Amino acid sequence: MTLLHSLLHATNFSRPFLSTLVPSIGLAYTIQGLVAIPSIVAQTERFYDLSGSVTYISCTALSLYLPTIRARFAAAAAGSAKPAWPSVLAALAGNGGGLNWRQVALSAAVSFWATR
């Protein structure tokens, strides 16, 4: 069992809100913890803004694509065809494609703000 498969299994809650929220929070703490180590050793805040932006963008991408990652792992385990990756542009055009246009619009706004 791979590490990613173990993490997906451990965070597979019955509530969709928790099954997306808990991995996103875990990712945020992991990124911040990894950046904190060299920052504490060097006693600098040089990476503070960069790590915040990377955390926002990573958690946003994870929240968008985590349901598809789970579906692809489940399909691979069952031996069936993997579902296609959802299209962000199709969601904004109203074609769905596995993503909600409101979540895509809000995620784009957060990503734009984080890259400023």
Side-chain angles (χ1 to χ4, degrees), residues 24-115:
S24 296
I25 291 173
L27 177 65
Y29 273 100
T30 301
I31 292 171
Q32 292 297 311
L34 291 175
V35 172
I37 294 169
S39 297
I40 291 170
V41 170
Q43 294 184 356
T44 182
E45 293 183 5
R46 177 179 294 178
F47 307 112
Y48 181 73
D49 288 334
L50 178 64
S51 68
S53 295
V54 168
T55 301
Y56 271 112
I57 292 169
S58 299
C59 289
T60 300
L62 180 66
S63 71
L64 279 175
Y65 288 105
L66 186 60
T68 304
I69 293 170
R70 288 186 190 282
R72 290 177 65 88
F73 266 90
S80 60
K82 294 180 182 177
W85 291 100
S87 171
V88 172
L89 295 177
L92 290 175
N95 298 338
L99 297 174
N100 186 327
W101 71 269
R102 289 172 282 194
Q103 183 182 12
V104 171
L106 185 60
S107 297
V110 167
S111 297
F112 178 75
W113 175 81
T115 57

Side-chain angles (χ1 to χ4, degrees), residues 16-26 66:
F17 179 71
L18 285 177
S19 65
T20 302
L21 182 69
V22 171
S24 296
I25 291 173
L66 186 60

